[in-house]
Amino acid sequence: MLVAAAILLPLVVSFGFSGLDSLGEAVSSPSFAGITLFTLRQAALSTSLALMAGLPAAIYFSRSRSRLSKLLGLTTYIPFFFPGISMAIGFLAIYGRNGLLNSALALFGFERLQILYSFGAILLGHVFYNAPIVILILGNALKRIPSDLLETARIDGAGKLTRFLKVELPLSVPALVNSALLIFSYCFTSFAVVLILGGAQFATLEVSIYMYFRLLGRPQMAVALSVIQFAFIMLFGVLISISERRIPFEQGEQYIEKKTATRLYSLLFLVFEWVPILGAFTSSFYDRARGEFIFGRVAGLFKGELPLIGTSLARTVFNSLSLSTVASVTTVAITFYLAWTARKIRGGARQLKIVSLLALSVTPSMMAISYLTTIDFLPVPVLMLLLYSLVALPVSLNYINGQVQNAELDFLEAATLDGASRAAKLRYMILPFFKNTLFYAGTVVFAISMGEFGGSLILGAQDFPTFAVAIYRLNGSRYLLEARFLSSMLGLMVISAVAIAGYLLSRSGRSNRSSG
């Protein structure tokens, strides 16, 4: 409960700083209704499009064990770990006025398309970012449906479409609802996609919070909007928790069948998901206009101080690496302690769920503003460390708690009977037993922290800029290609770190099962 209080206290105090008058002013302002309706509208449309885009790929993923299916599984890393700034700049490189798509159209004599800085660009970005969630949640739910149930339906004469509509879909409706709620909450609180791809003419609640605080100098209004958004997200979180309870968990052998149409669609889906990442990378190290590689220009950025950043680029990289590393160790230590303690407390699992829900209900921008209005006497790096730990806390807590609750720890009782102290059990038994779990959770926290953008832009843009903030500043200046290159490096580094950690963890799991 202390963690829950630490999450809520800055918000409560900052709301006291703002007061009911500011909340009433925010609700009654002419722009509030427009901002709220636009936020809901774009989130609803984005969710619908993401569900439609991800559904065929989820079906193929659930009925195949091919390499293509494994690539779809790898794509599910994107919504949770791929940095928002890297995604947005990747879209600029591919779909921009002078991007790869328009360059290809011009080469064949077609007119260039204005894709970005529009409402359509926001929807496109949200589909890219969130459609893999459908594969992760719905695809795995479909995969768990017992194969004998589907085989019986096939023997009874039901075709593939009939089986899906009358057997698979009804059983997976809770997972579909869960996917929709999670995607909607992500689109509702989207920051980098709306700010960079949409432009200044589009403002959601999250973007408005940033603009009122940093650009318009009205912190009371920003805090009031944060409180309103917090209420919305809490509602989404409760609905997601309810829908998770209804997801069927019957485990059956995966039903395998050939689906030519969904296989072809899944190939196109992978192209859509990976082209902004790989295409932006391959087009970022070569200047087509000058016909030269830009490695020397990128290296030059690390040598001196850049006025638009306020420090050297090397310093921003060090800021991100050091903060992310400390946040990784701190967050894993806190979440492991909470998960371990919850094992011995009645209702501990419920308490952890409340903590996780509260942490999910605050966005980085909201927490950054509450810190600056309540505990701004702390150094900026400390505030950013608190922010990073909070942002990554739900992911780390849910994963570590699941591993701790499902672990068989009978050997600890034997060690207690042999007279082993708590410190000895922790050092020689508990930590070695969970070392792979802690390593994976730490890598995930590191990846999330390295890519965090919204809160870093508010907290440390002036005094302690991070790598993501530096990329954003470079992109808004004459260093466009350099920003593209660095954002690609950041994105690939984050995805690679999580993928390698997951691979090592899976190998460790197989080894443990073999030795057992």
Side-chain angles (χ1 to χ4, degrees), residues 198-352:
Q201 69 270 32
F202 299 102
T204 58
L205 281 172
E206 183 77 353
V207 173
S208 298
I209 290 169
Y210 163 72
M211 293 179 66
Y212 273 113
F213 190 84
R214 277 297 181 203
L215 303 182
L216 301 178
R218 299 179 62 185
Q220 292 88 349
M221 191 71 169
V223 171
L225 292 178
S226 296
V227 172
I228 295 169
Q229 181 170 259
F230 178 78
F232 272 108
I233 305 173
M234 275 292 292
L235 174 61
F236 301 151
V238 171
L239 293 176
I240 290 173
S241 298
I242 294 173
S243 69
E244 282 178 345
R245 298 173 189 171
R246 298 178 56 229
I247 295 179
F249 286 99
E250 61 269 11
Q251 181 70 44
E253 183 181 353
Q254 184 182 5
Y255 185 73
I256 305 298
E257 65 177 345
K258 292 183 178 181
K259 289 181 174 287
T260 306
T262 54
R263 182 177 186 275
L264 177 61
Y265 178 86
S266 296
L267 284 170
L268 297 175
F269 181 84
L270 283 176
V271 171
F272 171 72
E273 289 292 327
W274 287 100
V275 159
I277 300 174
L278 301 179
F281 170 71
T282 56
S283 65
S284 63
F285 54 78
Y286 186 76
D287 187 347
R288 296 195 305 270
R290 298 182 180 181
E292 63 181 17
F293 291 96
I294 68 167
F295 297 119
R297 288 154 55 181
V298 172
L301 294 177
F302 285 89
K303 295 179 180 178
E305 180 175 315
L306 295 175
L308 65 157
I309 299 177
T311 184
S312 66
L313 189 59
R315 183 66 186 179
T316 66
V317 176
F318 175 78
N319 290 345
S320 289
L321 290 174
S322 57
L323 277 178
S324 300
T325 301
V326 176
S328 175
V329 175
T330 304
T331 307
V332 169
I334 292 173
T335 51
F336 183 74
Y337 174 78
L338 291 175
W340 189 262
T341 305
R343 296 175 63 250
K344 308 172 185 178
I345 300 177
R346 185 177 181 181
R350 190 186 320 118
Q351 293 182 21
L352 292 186

Side-chain angles (χ1 to χ4, degrees), residues 77 79-81 136 182 186 331-332 335-336 339 352 355-357 359-360 388-403 437 440-449 498:
Y77 284 124
F80 304 102
F81 305 118
L136 178 66
L182 188 59
Y186 280 175
T331 307
V332 169
T335 51
F336 183 74
L352 292 186
V355 170
S356 180
L357 179 59
L360 283 171
Y388 288 179
S389 297
L390 179 61
V391 168
L393 186 140
V395 176
S396 178
L397 181 60
N398 291 334
Y399 176 72
I400 290 179
N401 184 54
Q403 298 297 312
T437 296
Y440 179 73
T443 305
V444 168
V445 174
F446 178 85
I448 294 174
S449 301
V498 177

Side-chain angles (χ1 to χ4, degrees), residues 9-19 223 227 369-371 373-374:
L9 186 60
L11 290 172
V12 173
V13 175
S14 62
F15 178 64
F17 158 78
S18 175
V223 171
V227 172
I369 291 173
S370 69
Y371 290 161
T373 54
T374 57

Side-chain angles (χ1 to χ4, degrees), residues 41-64:
R41 175 169 162 256
Q42 63 84 22
L45 285 173
S46 298
T47 301
S48 301
L49 293 174
L51 289 173
M52 289 189 289
L55 179 59
I59 294 173
Y60 178 81
F61 173 77
S62 68
R63 298 291 168 252
S64 173

Side-chain angles (χ1 to χ4, degrees), residues 163-186:
R163 289 203 308 272
F164 177 75
L165 293 177
K166 294 188 176 182
V167 180
E168 296 177 80
L169 187 59
L171 290 174
S172 57
V173 163
L176 184 63
V177 172
N178 186 254
S179 301
L181 289 171
L182 188 59
I183 293 172
F184 187 89
S185 65
Y186 280 175

Side-chain angles (χ1 to χ4, degrees), residues 405-428:
Q405 298 301 326
N406 295 325
E408 296 182 3
L409 303 173
D410 296 339
F411 60 87
L412 292 179
E413 296 182 7
T416 302
L417 294 175
D418 289 340
S421 64
R422 291 184 178 180
K425 287 188 289 184
L426 177 65
R427 179 178 178 181
Y428 297 108

Side-chain angles (χ1 to χ4, degrees), residues 114 129 147 157 184 196 217 338 386 447 485:
Q114 181 58 45
Y129 223 60
S147 58
F184 187 89
I196 301 177
L338 291 175
L386 291 173
F485 178 84

